[in-house]
Amino acid sequence: MTLWSLLLFSGIFVCALFPLTNCDEQRIPEEKLLVLTVATKETDGFRRFLRSAKHFNYTVKVLGRGEKWRGGDYMSAPGGGQKVRLLKVAVEEMKNEDNIILFIDSYDVVFASGPKELLKKFQQARHKVVFSSESLIWPDRHLEDKHPHVREGNRFLGSGGFIGYVPNIKELVSDWTGEDDDSDQLFFTKIYIDPAKRKSINITLDSKCRLFQNLHGALDEVVLKFENGRVRARNVLYDTLPVIIHGNGPTKLQINYLGNYIPNTWTFETGCTVCHEDLRPLTALKESEYPLVVIGIFIQQPTPFVTVFFERLLKLQYPKNRLKLFIYNQEVHHERQVNAFLQDHGSLYQDVRFIGPEEDIDGAASRNLGFDMCRKDKDCDYFFSLDIEVVLKNENTLKILIEQNLPIVAPMITRAGRLWSNFWGALSADGYYARSEDYVDVVQGRRAGVWNVPYVSSVYLVKASLLRSELTDYELFTSPILDPDMTYCHNVRNKGIFMYVTNMHSFGRILSTENYQTSHLHNDLWQIFENRVDWEERYIHENYTLIMKDKLIETPCPDVYWFPVFSDIACDHLVEEMEHFGKWSGGGNVDKRIQGGYENVPTIDIHMNQINFEKEWQKFLLEYVSPITEKMYPGYYTRAQFELAFVVRYKPDEQPSLRPHHDASTFTINIALNHVGLDFQGGGCRFLRYDCSIQAPRKGWALMHPGRLTHYHEGLPTTAGVRYIAVSFVDP
Ligand SMILES: *[C@@H]1O[C@H](CO)[C@@H](O)[C@H](O)[C@H]1NC(C)=O
Ligand SMILES: *[C@@H]1O[C@H](CO)[C@@H](O)[C@H](O)[C@H]1NC(C)=O
Ligand SMILES: *[C@@H]1O[C@H](CO)[C@@H](O)[C@H](O)[C@H]1NC(C)=O
C-alpha cells in the first residue's frame, strides 16, 4: 500500500494534512442516515434485523408493511420489483437532499456495526451511490461482458443492499415502471452497466465488501473472528470487516448461524444476543394465570427407565392444572408403566388424552395429532413436545423455555459423555446432519447461549400461535421420504420460522434406546452398559458416593466391611426378577459349588447367569465394589472375576439358615435385599472365629469379608417372612 492510498483510506487524515484542498468533506452526521427496508411480513428474520438495527441505533423505516408480497420467490425465479416500486414512492416524498438512504433487505440481513462506520466507509468509496457486490452474475449471465472490470474484488452488482444520497437514489429509481415480480436486480444492473447512467448517478460497487457482505458465493471468504470475547465477521479474501451481512439466495442457514454471533454483542460472559431479550418472567403471574401447555409425550420404541420418566414428569415445576397431557404410546411393552402413571396421577392434570398401541397409528400421525390437540384448543398457549427417551433433570425446564419467548425453543440435552445431542448446528446440502464449527463448543458448554439452529428434536416448546398461523398444515410431520422430525424441521425452516436451542442452563440428557432388552421383568437392570448414568441414579444407593469420603464403611467384625451399595429399588427389582424367573434350586439339586471342589452347602438360590445377568453383575462388581475392596484390603487388586453369584432365599419352612462353611472365594460380597423387621425376622451372619454376628442386616448394604481360612461363617436362621441376599464369590 502506498502512502498516498493509505492517506486516501482515511478521510480524516486527508483533511488533517491538506486542510485547504480536500476538506469540503466532513464526517456525515448519523442523523442524516435513514435505513429503508421492505417487509410485507414480520418474519423471525425481520425481527432479528430490527434487533440488530436497534442495537446499533439505526433509524429504520419499513415499507410495505401488511401489503401482500407479489415480488416472487427469491429462491427460484427473479423478482423483487415490488421493492423498487415501494422505494420509488418513498423517496419521491423525501425533501432533504443531503440525507442518505440505506436500502436493504431485512429477512436475511444483520448489522455487524453501527451507522458511524457505515457512513465513513461510504464516504471513502467516493461515490454518490454504492451497491453491494457479488462474485456471481444473476439473473442474466449474458450481461457479463458489459460489466466494467474492477481492479480487485467482485465485479457484479447485488441489489440486496445499497446506500446513496437521496437525489441520486431518486434518479436511480425514477425510470422504474416494472411489474412487482420483475427483477429488481436486473433493473439496477442495467443502469449500472450503462456508462452514461453510471456516471450521472455516480454509482460504484463495494467490490471488496467493506460495507456489504453478500454470502452467496462467498461462504469461504467469511469467517468469524473471536477477539477479546467479542465477535466480528471478517472477509479474509479482501481483509475487510463488512458492516452489513446478507444471507442472500441459498445462504439463509449461514446467516442464521452468523446471526448467533453478530451483531457483535455475543460475549462469552453473557451468551448470545437473544438470551435476555423480551424475557417474560412467570414469577409475576399467579399460578392460575400461567400459560396453558399441552405436553405431548411420545413413546415410539422400547425405552429404558420409563417409570423414572413419569416420576420426573410429576416433579416438573409447573401448575398441573395449567397442563394437559397428550400421551402416545406405540409400545405394548410400556402399557403397564403408562397406565400406572395415569391411574395414580392422571387426575392432577387439567386434561389427559391417551392413545395406545391398539390404535395403530404411526409416529408422524401421532405427532400431527398431538400438535393438532393444541392447535384446536383455544386455551392452548404452548405445545411442549417430549419424547420418552428424554431425561429432563432440570425441573424448571418448562418455565425457562416459556420465559425465552421464542417461537420454537429446545433445551439442549446430550447423551451422557457423548457429542450426541438433540440439535444440529448445520445442515448438509441434501438436508441431513452437518457439524457446525461451533457444535462441539456448544455441546460441551464452552459456549453458552440461545442458538438459532436448523434442526431440533426430542424435546422442544412451540408457541401455539404459530400452529394457528404459519404452521396450520395438519401434516407437518408427514413425508414419504424423510423422518417425521426432519420433515417437521424442514417445514418450519421453509416458513422462515427460527428454531432455537438453549444451553444457558443444564437441562438433562437423552437415553440410548439401543440394545434394550425387553425379555425380562425389570429390563432397566440390564442398562448398566448402555445408560450407565441413569442406571447408577436408579440403582446405586444415594450415599454410596459418600462412603469413601465420609468413612461410611463400617467394620462390624474384624476384616468385615459393611457399606451401602444398592438403592431400595435395585433390591426390589432384583428380588422380583428372581421370583419372576422362579426356578429356585431345591435342596435336592447338586449345588454348582461342588464342581469347583469346594464345600457343599447348598442354598435355595437362582444364579445370575440363569437370568443372563452375569455380564452386568460383573460390571457392577467392577465399578462399585472393586474400588472399595482395593481401599479396604490395600495391595489387593481385583478384576472382580466370579464364578458364583446368586440370590439366596431364606424361609423358615424352606431353608431358614446355612450351616458353618468357608466360601469358594478370595472375598465374598453379601448384599441384603430386603428389610429386617418389615419383610422377615431373624437372619444375619455369624463369623465363628471371632464369635461376631451381624444380626440386623440393612437393605441395600453389602457385607464384604474374606472367603477362606479366617472367615468361617454361618447364615443365622430366618424365623419369619422371607429373606433375600445377593451373594458373590469374587476371585475364586
Ligand atoms: C445507542 O444509543 C444509546 C442512547 O442514545 C446509547 O446509550 C448506546 O450506546 C448506543 N449504542 C451504540 C451501539 O452506539
Ligand atoms: C462521483 O462523485 C465524486 C464526488 O463525490 C466525484 O469525485 C467523482 O468524480 C464522481 N464520479 C463519476 C464517475 O462521476
Ligand atoms: C444417606 O445419609 C443420610 C445422612 O447420613 C441419611 O439421612 C439418609 O437416610 C441416607 N440415605 C439412605 C437411603 O439411607
Side-chain angles (χ1 to χ4, degrees):
M1 204 179 260
T2 63
L3 176 62
W4 184 242
S5 65
L6 241 184
L7 293 177
L8 272 181
F9 230 64
S10 149
I12 297 163
F13 237 177
V14 175
C15 283
L17 282 175
F18 306 99
L20 296 175
T21 51
N22 227 338
C23 265
D24 45 334
E25 198 164 273
Q26 300 266 307
R27 192 162 71 80
I28 306 170
E30 287 156 44
E31 312 82 76
K32 298 275 182 206
L33 177 70
L34 176 65
V35 180
L36 288 182
T37 189
V38 171
T40 51
K41 264 171 50 183
E42 284 216 1
T43 63
D44 287 333
F46 176 71
R47 279 186 277 268
R48 170 182 58 196
F49 171 82
L50 281 191
R51 253 194 328 260
S52 86
K54 187 172 155 210
H55 172 75
F56 290 113
N57 293 334
Y58 284 95
T59 309
V60 179
K61 186 168 173 196
V62 181
L63 309 176
R65 252 189 177 136
E67 209 174 273
K68 188 169 161 46
W69 176 250
R70 297 190 196 81
D73 173 5
Y74 282 80
M75 298 296 283
S76 48
Q82 189 171 357
K83 292 192 294 180
V84 190
R85 170 169 65 78
L86 291 166
L87 174 63
K88 187 176 171 180
V89 174
V91 287
E92 270 164 7
E93 294 164 0
M94 291 185 182
K95 299 284 170 282
N96 211 334
E97 301 257 302
D98 61 348
N99 272 6
I100 291 171
I101 285 171
L102 170 69
F103 191 62
I104 186 92
D105 286 355
S106 45
Y107 296 156
D108 44 13
V109 166
V110 290
F111 288 102
S113 184
K116 193 166 154 194
E117 183 177 336
L118 180 74
L119 289 171
K120 186 172 143 205
K121 288 177 168 176
F122 170 58
Q123 277 182 296
Q124 288 166 353
R126 306 198 158 268
H127 282 76
K128 294 289 199 290
V129 175
V130 179
F131 265 88
S132 75
S133 67
E134 306 226 25
S135 58
L136 308 167
I137 184 166
W138 191 79
D140 186 353
R141 281 187 297 116
H142 304 295
L143 299 176
E144 175 162 354
D145 290 344
K146 300 220 164 76
H147 280 76
H149 282 279
V150 295
R151 225 175 20 178
E152 193 191 353
N154 300 324
R155 190 175 160 201
F156 307 111
L157 173 145
S159 64
F162 53 89
I163 180 169
Y165 286 94
V166 167
N168 306 65
I169 300 284
K170 276 186 184 167
E171 192 182 342
L172 179 71
V173 294
S174 61
D175 289 342
W176 173 262
T177 52
E179 298 296 322
D180 277 0
D181 61 352
D182 285 352
S183 168
D184 61 330
Q185 173 121 339
L186 189 62
F187 173 74
F188 292 126
T189 298
K190 283 182 173 163
I191 293 173
Y192 172 67
I193 60 177
D194 177 331
K197 287 185 181 163
R198 183 165 69 236
K199 182 154 191 263
S200 93
I201 305 173
N202 197 301
I203 307 176
T204 191
L205 297 191
D206 175 37
S207 290
K208 294 200 277 181
C209 307
R210 303 185 71 232
L211 293 83
F212 303 99
Q213 177 69 60
N214 289 313
L215 289 177
H216 186 33
L219 286 174
D220 295 344
E221 296 164 20
V222 181
V223 299
L224 287 172
K225 284 282 179 192
F226 292 85
E227 265 159 30
N228 309 322
R230 303 218 134 218
V231 192
R232 180 99 193 235
R234 177 187 288 271
N235 184 308
V236 288
L237 189 58
Y238 307 123
D239 194 23
T240 49
L241 297 170
V243 177
I244 291 155
I245 319 286
H246 183 198
N248 55 329
T251 60
K252 251 176 20 180
L253 291 182
Q254 280 81 12
I255 191 67
N256 287 355
Y257 176 75
L258 296 178
N260 285 325
Y261 293 99
I262 46 180
N264 60 357
T265 48
W266 199 95
T267 73
F268 285 90
E269 287 74 48
T270 59
C272 80
T273 50
V274 294
C275 306
H276 302 293
E277 199 142 328
D278 304 335
L279 282 189
R280 289 177 176 174
L282 287 171
T283 43
L285 300 178
K286 291 199 210 95
E287 293 219 329
S288 59
E289 297 167 343
Y290 270 49
L292 189 112
V293 183
V294 171
I295 304 184
I297 294 162
F298 298 92
I299 309 174
Q300 299 187 322
Q301 69 283 308
T303 305
F305 304 110
V306 165
T307 308
V308 192
F309 173 94
F310 284 114
E311 286 168 10
R312 271 191 310 267
L313 181 67
L314 208 57
K315 285 195 224 142
L316 192 68
Q317 292 299 307
Y318 207 84
K320 294 203 173 31
N321 60 6
R322 300 303 293 156
L323 294 175
K324 295 184 179 181
L325 301 182
F326 170 90
I327 303 180
Y328 165 65
N329 174 27
Q330 191 175 302
E331 293 297 326
V332 176
H333 173 73
H334 288 308
E335 280 191 298
R336 182 166 50 103
Q337 290 130 323
V338 179
N339 290 341
F341 168 75
L342 287 180
Q343 229 151 47
D344 296 347
H345 309 291
S347 61
L348 296 172
Y349 296 86
Q350 199 190 95
D351 190 21
V352 177
R353 174 133 182 238
F354 172 62
I355 295 184
E358 68 287 351
E359 307 209 14
D360 197 29
I361 63 174
D362 67 17
S366 71
R367 287 174 196 269
N368 289 336
L369 197 62
F371 272 58
D372 207 46
M373 171 171 164
C374 170
R375 184 187 287 122
K376 290 230 180 80
D377 179 346
K378 66 175 178 11
D379 295 332
C380 179
D381 296 304
Y382 291 93
F383 186 78
F384 187 46
S385 188
L386 182 57
D387 293 358
I388 195 76
E389 61 270 28
V390 171
V391 179
L392 221 45
K393 296 284 291 175
N394 189 330
E395 293 175 1
N396 290 312
T397 299
L398 185 52
K399 288 192 198 173
I400 292 169
L401 297 182
I402 288 174
E403 288 182 340
Q404 288 296 338
N405 193 24
L406 290 169
I408 297 177
V409 58
M412 186 186 81
I413 52 168
T414 58
R415 187 161 297 161
R418 304 266 303 273
L419 286 175
W420 211 93
S421 77
N422 65 327
F423 78 96
W424 297 351
L427 214 57
S428 67
D430 51 358
Y432 287 85
Y433 173 83
R435 183 175 281 186
S436 60
E437 243 174 283
D438 60 355
Y439 181 77
V440 175
D441 284 335
V442 172
V443 166
Q444 297 183 339
R446 282 190 297 276
R447 284 187 199 167
V450 184
W451 310 92
N452 185 344
V453 293
Y455 171 94
V456 297
S457 66
S458 306
V459 51
Y460 50 87
L461 184 75
V462 184
K463 275 191 185 169
S465 55
L466 268 186
L467 300 179
R468 299 186 197 107
S469 54
E470 304 289 314
L471 300 179
T472 47
D473 178 11
Y474 179 85
E475 302 216 306
L476 274 182
F477 290 87
T478 310
S479 149
I481 7 173
L482 292 178
D483 288 351
D485 50 347
M486 287 175 64
T487 307
Y488 165 72
C489 292
H490 172 88
N491 287 330
V492 168
R493 287 194 305 271
N494 272 5
K495 293 282 185 188
I497 299 164
F498 290 170
M499 289 172 272
Y500 293 89
V501 67
T502 168
N503 66 343
M504 296 287 285
H505 300 79
S506 149
F507 292 104
R509 52 184 183 265
I510 186 158
L511 293 169
S512 165
T513 57
E514 284 154 46
N515 304 316
Y516 187 55
Q517 308 183 24
T518 53
S519 52
H520 314 285
L521 177 66
H522 293 295
N523 297 290
D524 296 344
L525 281 172
W526 275 259
Q527 285 294 304
I528 187 167
F529 291 104
E530 199 66 39
N531 288 295
R532 169 82 186 276
V533 177
D534 295 87
W535 191 92
E536 179 171 314
E537 279 186 3
R538 184 79 166 150
Y539 290 132
I540 292 299
H541 195 282
E542 63 171 339
N543 288 338
Y544 171 81
T545 48
L546 297 176
I547 60 185
M548 298 283 215
K549 206 167 87 227
D550 295 354
K551 303 205 166 41
L552 273 177
I553 302 184
E554 298 179 22
T555 314
C557 301
D559 279 330
V560 176
Y561 299 104
W562 203 15
F563 55 89
V565 66
F566 269 157
S567 68
D568 263 17
I569 287 170
C571 298
D572 296 346
H573 281 192
L574 198 53
V575 168
E576 286 165 22
E577 195 66 45
M578 290 307 187
E579 286 295 356
H580 176 72
F581 178 75
K583 295 179 186 149
W584 298 95
S585 61
N589 290 352
V590 177
D591 193 286
K592 285 189 187 130
R593 271 163 289 176
I594 299 171
Q595 296 162 5
Y598 301 111
E599 291 171 71
N600 177 11
V601 275
T603 47
I604 299 292
D605 59 35
I606 294 174
H607 286 244
M608 297 303 176
N609 60 10
Q610 288 177 273
I611 59 162
N612 290 322
F613 197 55
E614 66 274 25
K615 280 205 303 292
E616 289 76 10
W617 190 257
Q618 201 221 341
K619 176 81 175 163
F620 156 70
L621 293 177
L622 197 60
E623 298 292 341
Y624 299 98
V625 174
S626 294
I628 295 176
T629 313
E630 284 158 25
K631 169 125 179 147
M632 304 324 287
Y633 305 123
Y636 183 69
Y637 172 76
T638 175
R639 308 239 356 250
Q641 300 296 335
F642 64 88
E643 254 168 48
L644 297 168
F646 45 90
V647 170
V648 182
R649 182 168 78 183
Y650 291 113
K651 265 185 185 179
D653 58 354
E654 197 176 60
Q655 178 183 31
S657 62
L658 200 58
R659 66 177 165 77
H661 61 283
H662 279 115
D663 287 340
S665 68
T666 302
F667 68 93
T668 295
I669 301 293
N670 171 340
I671 306 170
L673 296 179
N674 53 359
H675 273 300
V676 65
L678 228 61
D679 303 311
F680 64 91
Q681 304 289 337
C685 186
R686 189 169 85 95
F687 295 92
L688 279 65
R689 180 180 161 92
Y690 309 99
D691 189 22
C692 175
S693 301
I694 293 103
Q695 272 175 333
R698 301 171 189 161
K699 186 175 180 180
W701 284 57
L703 273 180
M704 181 170 80
H705 60 80
R708 303 189 191 84
L709 198 62
T710 48
H711 285 66
Y712 193 61
H713 59 286
E714 64 180 332
L716 298 173
T718 298
T719 53
V722 189
R723 175 180 183 225
Y724 298 92
I725 56 174
V727 179
S728 310
F729 293 173
V730 185
D731 296 338

